[in-house]
Amino acid sequence: MLLSVENLSTDFPTKRGVVHAVENVSFTVGESEIVAIVGESGSGKSVMSLSIMGLLSDPGRVAAGTIDFMGADLATVSEREYRGLRGRDIAMIFQEPMTSLNPVYRVGDQIIEAIRAHERLSRKEALERAIELLDKVGIPCPQQRVRDYPHQMSGGMRQRVMIAMALACNPKLLIADEPTTALDVTIQAQILDLLRRLREQTGMAVLLITHDLGVVSETADRVVVMYCAQVVEEAPVRELFDRPLHPYTLGLLRSIPRLQDDDAKRLYMIRGTVPNPLEMPAGCHFSDRCDSCMEICRQRVPDLVEVDGHKVRCFLYEDSDGARKDDDGIAAGEARALADAETARQIAAADALLEAEDIRETEIEEHEGVKR
């Protein structure tokens, strides 16, 4: 196993209390595997990746757990050892390339710096490598573009430069944090295709952080779903899309519009918002937004249990004593979750129709008042 994260917790002490940005997160990434981390903004995805990279800003700290990368626990290594690993064995594509690239240096110089930090190459040799990398990531005329400044490139080009920098020393693991954010659909498809091709050519593993389930379905081998700093579900990508177990995952998938849906149907919407990390609901973090919430859900946090190759954190699949339910109990839980989601959608549609009727009546009254 290339990367094994076990019970990772990351905290941010504040004046109002401790923010648990990552809470007992566990997952693995195998060699040449693409694992996607999915969740809403604020679920802890980026903080988790920064914890792995050792790039947490003060006062953030890894409070507990292990990050085993190629036999070394990254949670305990020194900053000097981290500098030897970052860029060489493990690299990261940051979310916004315009703020990640230095605006006063040419892109070629920034790639050269990344290469020479880990390899004993002359500047000429590093420049040749930089041109090769720009060509590999699909930038036309790399001999000329290597002299450009970031502002002279489009968003898609800057993202490709970030990928070239990350690949400068052939890392074994690439962490891609929202690599297609703010890109149009065509460029997004090109970037995802590029990541797949690079995985096939170099054998590197990819930890893909995103909230876009379309990206996940096209790219990933396995999916880890996070909500409010916790892993709530984990499964192979096809299994997760064909049979989502957790009500949160089900809600995410049912929120996606489908061509075969009736136009009269209202899209399903997960009610409420992500809670304040300093004011989490008692019990399950998703209980206040869940259509299938039970009394036990408000009393304690469910464990992550395994169900037919799935891992899921939900009392629909777990007994009150923490044991996995039998097959009949699981089937009943799945049926209930689907029925609750459909009922919630119908109620939302009815409420929307009533609201629209109220608005229409108000407009008619106002119009008649003006006529008088």
Side-chain angles (χ1 to χ4, degrees):
M1 195 60 62
L2 185 65
L3 174 70
S4 178
V5 177
E6 290 289 336
N7 300 317
L8 176 66
S9 294
T10 301
D11 294 345
F12 286 84
T14 69
K15 293 180 180 179
R16 294 182 56 198
V18 178
V19 174
H20 302 292
V22 177
E23 190 176 331
N24 294 323
V25 167
S26 299
F27 65 91
T28 60
V29 181
E31 294 184 5
S32 301
E33 186 179 25
I34 298 180
V35 176
I37 308 292
V38 180
E40 290 175 276
S41 296
S43 61
K45 308 183 301 298
S46 294
V47 173
M48 182 269 299
S49 67
L50 294 174
S51 301
I52 295 173
M53 290 293 292
L55 295 174
L56 287 171
S57 300
D58 287 334
R61 62 187 179 87
V62 174
T66 60
I67 308 170
D68 189 308
F69 178 68
M70 298 174 58
D73 184 3
L74 301 184
T76 60
V77 301
S78 65
E79 179 58 28
R80 182 177 180 180
E81 292 173 301
Y82 245 129
R83 284 198 296 267
L85 288 170
R86 281 194 294 255
R88 186 190 67 196
D89 295 319
I90 180 171
M92 185 168 179
I93 303 171
F94 294 94
Q95 195 170 72
E96 178 48 62
M98 194 59 197
T99 57
S100 301
L101 293 170
N102 193 320
V104 300
Y105 287 98
R106 301 179 191 275
V107 296
D109 291 335
Q110 298 183 58
I111 299 173
I112 289 170
E113 182 182 14
I115 295 170
R116 298 188 73 188
H118 296 284
E119 298 186 23
R120 294 182 177 179
L121 296 178
S122 67
R123 181 173 177 79
K124 181 180 179 181
E125 291 171 326
L127 175 60
E128 291 174 355
R129 171 83 70 81
I131 293 171
E132 290 175 6
L133 286 166
L134 292 180
D135 182 57
K136 180 182 284 189
V137 298
I139 291 182
C141 304
Q143 294 85 354
Q144 285 76 42
R145 303 312 297 266
V146 76
R147 300 185 182 89
D148 285 353
Y149 290 93
H151 72 270
Q152 295 176 285
M153 293 183 158
S154 66
M157 288 290 186
R158 290 194 294 266
Q159 194 65 282
R160 290 170 190 267
V161 170
M162 286 295 300
I163 296 174
M165 289 178 64
L167 298 176
C169 298
N170 298 314
K172 296 176 177 62
L173 173 65
L174 176 66
I175 299 176
D177 187 2
E178 301 280 7
T180 57
T181 296
L183 300 179
D184 62 53
V185 177
T186 303
I187 302 301
Q188 174 178 291
Q190 292 174 358
I191 294 295
L192 295 176
D193 182 62
L194 173 62
L195 289 176
R196 286 192 294 267
R197 285 193 290 107
L198 292 172
R199 190 268 294 265
E200 294 169 1
Q201 293 170 5
T202 65
M204 72 177 180
V206 179
L207 184 61
L208 178 64
I209 297 169
T210 183
H211 60 263
D212 189 333
L213 291 171
V215 169
V216 172
S217 66
E218 297 175 13
T219 311
D221 300 315
R222 194 155 44 87
V223 188
V224 176
V225 182
M226 289 186 67
Y227 180 77
C228 285
Q230 294 182 330
V231 173
V232 296
E233 187 165 0
E234 179 183 346
V237 64
R238 285 296 101 204
E239 176 71 13
L240 184 115
F241 277 78
D242 291 341
R243 187 181 169 225
L245 300 185
H246 197 279
Y248 177 62
T249 311
L250 179 64
L252 291 177
L253 291 172
R254 292 179 77 86
S255 300
I256 301 173
R258 291 173 173 79
L259 293 175
Q260 63 267 31
D261 280 352
D262 186 350
D263 290 343
K265 276 192 174 183
R266 186 177 177 84
L267 276 176
Y268 175 78
M269 180 179 67
I270 300 174
R271 59 191 171 91
T273 58
V274 177
N276 186 322
L278 291 171
E279 300 173 357
M280 285 291 179
C284 175
H285 292 348
F286 191 59
S287 59
D288 284 356
R289 306 178 68 191
C290 183
D291 298 320
S292 305
C293 182
M294 300 175 281
E295 185 61 33
I296 190 174
C297 301
R298 302 187 187 278
Q299 296 174 358
R300 69 179 183 85
V301 179
D303 296 324
L304 198 66
V305 297
E306 187 162 342
V307 179
D308 301 330
H310 257 72
K311 290 181 181 178
V312 60
R313 188 187 299 275
C314 183
F315 284 115
L316 291 172
Y317 308 93
E318 176 191 342
D319 289 325
S320 58
D321 59 1
R324 175 188 181 276
K325 287 185 177 180
D326 58 24
D327 292 342
D328 291 340
I330 288 173
E334 291 175 347
R336 175 181 173 180
L338 286 168
D340 289 341
E342 184 60 31
T343 300
R345 181 164 74 167
Q346 291 171 357
I347 291 173
D351 289 344
L353 290 171
L354 290 172
E355 183 181 352
E357 186 62 29
D358 290 341
I359 293 172
R360 177 172 173 76
E361 289 178 359
T362 302
E363 289 176 345
I364 291 172
E365 291 174 359
E366 290 176 351
H367 181 68
E368 290 178 348
V370 170
K371 288 175 68 176
R372 292 195 192 99

